[in-house]
């Protein structure tokens, strides 16, 4: 994807000077009222690896600091908490792609999310796509007890349904589809207790049932609704 001048300018900024506002602005170039096509473009950039190179180039040091617990002060306000969730839940998967460490920030991101749902930070976020990203750890982060992950997914699904109802008509098919994908993720956890497609990377042995599921290619992925 050809990057816009605004993103390239952000990429050129000093990593050392990055603030929570920088992180959130970098991850969400959508503007205040994106068209469905613009929203699709940037969502796919975030979700399908298009942002990985920029994240590694600009935010590797910041991701290290977040993982080491050095940025906890960011969680004192809504934007900072969102930025820290992004660093631990999304940036780790770019900076440490292809290694087990890619998922290492998930538990901390999940706790930040749960705390933010309770203390009002989630409600204070200004845009639907900010809130959708804020909830990502509830979907992505496996739990030792699958029942806990199912409970987190139930929370995420209920909120996603609310976001779909609040979304502008032009973007609603995407948010309805997003909620449906959460239900597909829930079905995978209900069946296997974990995400089988991570087994090889995490050094886990797959069961025959999991191998069949992986071979089917029927993995829940977010995609833009064809109706748009």
């Amino acid at each position: 994807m050809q990057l816009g001048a605004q993103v390239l300018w952000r990429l050129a900024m000093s990593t050392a000077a990055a603030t929570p506002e920088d992180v959130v602005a970098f991850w969400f170039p959508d503007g205040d009222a994106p068209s469905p096509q613009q929203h699709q473009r940037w969502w796919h950039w975030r979700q399908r690896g298009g942002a990985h190179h920029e994240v590694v180039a600009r935010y590797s040091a910041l991701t290290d600091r977040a993982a080491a617990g050095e940025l906890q002060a960011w969680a004192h306000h809504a934007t900072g908490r969102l930025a820290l969730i992004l660093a631990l839940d999304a940036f780790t998967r770019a900076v440490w792609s292809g290694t087990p460490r890619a998922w290492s920030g998930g538990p901390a991101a999940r706790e930040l999310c749960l705390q933010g749902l309770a203390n009002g930070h989630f409600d204070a976020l200004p845009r639907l796509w900010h809130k959708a990203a804020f909830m990502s750890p509830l979907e992505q982060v496996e739990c030792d007890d699958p029942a806990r992950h199912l409970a987190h997914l139930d929370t995420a699904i209920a909120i996603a349904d609310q976001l779909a109802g609040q979304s502008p008509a032009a973007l609603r098919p995407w948010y309805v589809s997003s909620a449906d994908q959460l239900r597909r993720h829930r079905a995978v956890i209900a069946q296997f207790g974990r995400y089988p497609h991570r087994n090889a990377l995490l050094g886990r042995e797959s069961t025959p049932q999991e191998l069949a599921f992986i071979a089917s290619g029927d993995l829940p992925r977010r995609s833009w609704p064809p109706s748009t």
Side-chain angles (χ1 to χ4, degrees):
M1 178 184 297
Q2 183 67 35
L3 295 176
Q6 187 179 31
V7 173
L8 292 173
W9 175 79
R10 289 182 182 134
L11 180 59
M13 290 175 63
S14 169
T15 299
T19 66
E21 291 75 17
D22 292 331
V23 171
V24 172
F26 167 80
W27 199 243
F28 299 104
D30 309 63
D32 294 329
S35 69
Q37 294 76 20
Q38 291 170 327
H39 200 41
Q40 175 189 15
R41 176 192 180 198
W42 291 117
W43 197 284
H44 285 180
W45 177 74
R46 290 186 286 266
Q47 298 293 105
R48 297 188 175 181
H52 278 197
H53 175 75
E54 292 88 345
V55 169
V56 171
R58 181 176 173 187
Y59 290 116
S60 289
L62 182 144
T63 302
D64 278 327
R65 293 183 63 203
E70 297 177 11
L71 301 179
Q72 289 304 307
W74 284 18
H76 291 167
H77 57 90
T79 299
R81 184 176 294 270
L82 173 59
L84 194 51
I85 288 173
L86 293 175
L88 292 168
D89 180 60
F91 291 5
T92 52
R93 297 203 294 272
V95 172
W96 299 313
S97 178
T99 74
R101 200 179 180 193
W103 301 101
S104 62
R110 179 186 59 214
E111 294 311 306
L112 285 164
C113 172
L114 292 170
Q115 294 163 6
L117 289 172
N119 69 13
H121 284 177
F122 174 83
D123 293 328
L125 294 171
R127 299 185 178 94
L128 295 176
W129 38 99
H130 292 181
K131 292 181 175 180
F134 193 98
M135 290 194 308
S136 176
L138 302 184
E139 172 188 0
Q140 296 288 347
V141 182
E142 296 178 347
C143 299
D144 292 335
D145 179 5
R148 187 180 180 212
H149 195 172
L150 290 173
H152 292 159
L153 281 161
D154 287 338
T155 297
I157 289 167
I159 295 173
D161 285 339
Q162 292 176 4
L163 295 182
Q166 296 166 5
S167 61
L171 301 182
R172 190 160 300 145
W174 169 245
Y175 286 93
V176 170
S177 176
S178 185
D180 290 343
Q181 288 299 313
L182 283 168
R183 292 181 170 88
R184 293 191 65 203
H185 279 85
R186 190 191 191 285
V188 173
I189 297 301
Q191 181 175 359
F192 300 111
R194 58 189 184 178
Y195 291 125
H197 57 284
R198 298 180 188 172
N199 288 349
L201 180 64
L202 296 177
R204 304 187 304 211
E205 185 175 353
S206 295
T207 67
Q209 293 80 10
E210 288 177 329
L211 289 172
F213 173 73
I214 295 167
S216 75
D218 188 26
L219 307 178
R221 295 186 178 93
R222 301 207 173 193
S223 59
W224 193 256
S227 60
T228 64

